[in-house]
Amino acid sequence: MRRILHVDMDAFFASIEQRRRPELRGKPIIVGGRGDPESRGVVSTASYEARRFGVGSGMALRTAHRLCPACIFLPVDYEHYAEVSGRIKAILHAFTPLIEDGGIDEAYLDVSEEERSPAEIAEAIKRRIKEATGLSCSVGIASNKLLAKMASDLQKPDGLTVITPDDVKSRIWPLRTRKLVGIGPKTQSRLEERGIRTIGELAAVDERTLVEWFGNAYGRYLYEASRGIDESPLVTHWEPKSHSREVTFEADTDDPAFVRNTLSKLAQRVAEEIGTKGYRGRSVTVKLRFSDFETHTRSQTLEAPSDSPETIKEAASDCLERFDISKKVRLIGVRVEGLHKEE
DNA sequence: TCTGGGGTCCTATAGCCT
DNA sequence: TCTGAGGCTATAGGACCC
């Protein structure tokens, strides 16, 4: 049986801000957007003090401000958080090279071949991260990634939770379906329409039925995941498949020149960024979101993979021409897909 | 009234080819 | 030549993750 650790930083962005600005410690703070509760943006991370007011990730900053007028709003300083993240990942690499990066604030470690027990390793990791950064994390230990991740979520903050296959019935099945990795708000409500509210109730549905309801790949995934089954390996190295930049306008716009100009800048930026990293892309996609939040895309395959700003801007501009723009535009974005490293 | 930005993966459909 | 089955690619949209 494998031994997998999931390390998840507690309220990462907010905790970093409270570390570097001691006057913020113990206060309700919200990190998101440009840090202005009057402008468009969402909450990236709320400190535990702010969560008591009902503020949570993904919430509009304006809504968070209404719930908690006393909260302190800070802009996202992504570069700084990435630097802290890098130091934490370096610490983890000292324990094993078998690491899957799970984003800026989490990672999976396969410690199956280590001499020390997973719990000893987890304790040591928590101690080292605390010493080096002053930050706390929660660690889940299980026989696969799925259960390790759910375990790390069971006791937060500063938790250390072990889940064995025998624990699935008692500790996973009572949870709401939304807690299962891969179930978002849409699937949760589709399940509730059928009277399924807990992971245990989901596990009672046979595989054929789930495939009928949700299609082949997702139906099978739900069948296995609800039972705590997950054979997926750790992915220790991966190459990007796409790269994109998008902006939401501070106010919806119907100025075509402004939209075209913004698109050109985004395309220029995406081209430079992939080129700098030595990639070329095969296709270009333009995304528009209108004032009613309807989102549409148009894409075009290039004659040959490219990182040329001119080529990518031209393709993006052609895509934009194919839209019927009769509503105000809220967001515009450019994505380059099919990335390959040039020789 | 609100609903960011940067990704991944899956599904459906349509066209083309064998 | 017609018809159909599949495979493959391009395109558009949707759900989910941090």
Side-chain angles (χ1 to χ4, degrees), chain A residues 191-208:
Chain A
L191 287 169
E192 275 176 10
E193 283 167 15
R194 298 176 153 100
I196 296 163
R197 294 174 66 252
T198 68
I199 298 173
E201 287 163 1
L202 178 60
V205 183
D206 63 84
E207 188 172 9
R208 277 193 40 212

Side-chain angles (χ1 to χ4, degrees), chain A residues 146-340:
Chain A
L146 173 78
L147 290 177
K149 183 171 173 66
M150 295 186 72
S152 70
D153 196 46
L154 282 178
Q155 293 178 272
K156 270 185 152 294
D158 206 17
L160 201 180
T161 309
V162 183
I163 295 233
T164 68
D166 286 344
D167 293 332
V168 170
K169 271 189 191 176
S170 63
R171 305 189 66 187
I172 302 297
W173 282 7
L175 303 174
R176 304 293 303 263
T177 54
R178 183 69 176 80
K179 286 280 180 182
L180 191 65
V181 183
I183 294 185
K186 299 286 181 186
T187 307
Q188 178 185 29
S189 52
R190 285 183 64 190
L191 287 169
E192 275 176 10
E193 283 167 15
R194 298 176 153 100
I196 296 163
R197 294 174 66 252
T198 68
I199 298 173
E201 287 163 1
L202 178 60
V205 183
D206 63 84
E207 188 172 9
R208 277 193 40 212
T209 306
L210 289 174
V211 168
E212 252 173 59
W213 290 350
F214 295 103
N216 222 288
Y218 194 43
R220 279 195 217 162
Y221 170 77
L222 291 176
Y223 179 81
E224 298 202 332
S226 62
R227 288 169 168 65
I229 299 168
D230 169 30
E231 298 295 328
S232 66
L234 269 66
V235 178
T236 55
H237 177 80
W238 116 119
E239 289 289 326
K241 296 176 172 63
S242 68
H243 182 69
S244 64
R245 291 286 165 187
E246 61 187 50
V247 282
T248 295
F249 298 118
E250 194 48 55
D252 300 348
T253 179
D254 54 6
D255 176 352
F258 182 45
V259 171
R260 275 198 302 270
N261 194 255
T262 306
L263 180 69
S264 170
K265 286 179 184 159
L266 291 169
Q268 174 84 29
R269 189 165 164 208
V270 166
E272 285 170 2
E273 286 167 341
I274 65 168
T276 301
K277 291 187 173 153
Y279 289 97
R280 284 190 283 218
R282 273 205 92 238
S283 66
V284 174
T285 302
V286 169
K287 167 164 138 183
L288 285 188
R289 176 170 290 152
F290 297 102
S291 46
D292 59 4
F293 223 68
E294 250 193 67
T295 307
H296 295 279
T297 60
R298 292 291 180 270
S299 62
Q300 180 178 307
T301 299
L302 304 174
E303 282 184 19
S306 172
D307 64 356
S308 145
E310 285 65 41
T311 305
I312 288 167
K313 277 195 278 189
E314 199 178 307
S317 162
D318 288 350
C319 287
L320 182 61
E321 295 294 316
R322 289 157 55 203
F323 278 99
D324 166 33
I325 304 180
S326 48
K327 292 176 280 198
K328 284 194 174 186
V329 178
R330 178 188 178 90
L331 167 152
I332 187 161
V334 182
R335 181 168 68 246
V336 175
E337 291 167 289
L339 294 186
H340 278 288

Side-chain angles (χ1 to χ4, degrees), chain A residues 128-150:
Chain A
R128 286 285 299 112
I129 291 177
K130 185 86 183 181
E131 286 165 6
T133 65
L135 302 172
S136 73
C137 61
S138 297
V139 182
I141 301 174
S143 54
N144 62 47
K145 291 198 290 179
L146 173 78
L147 290 177
K149 183 171 173 66
M150 295 186 72

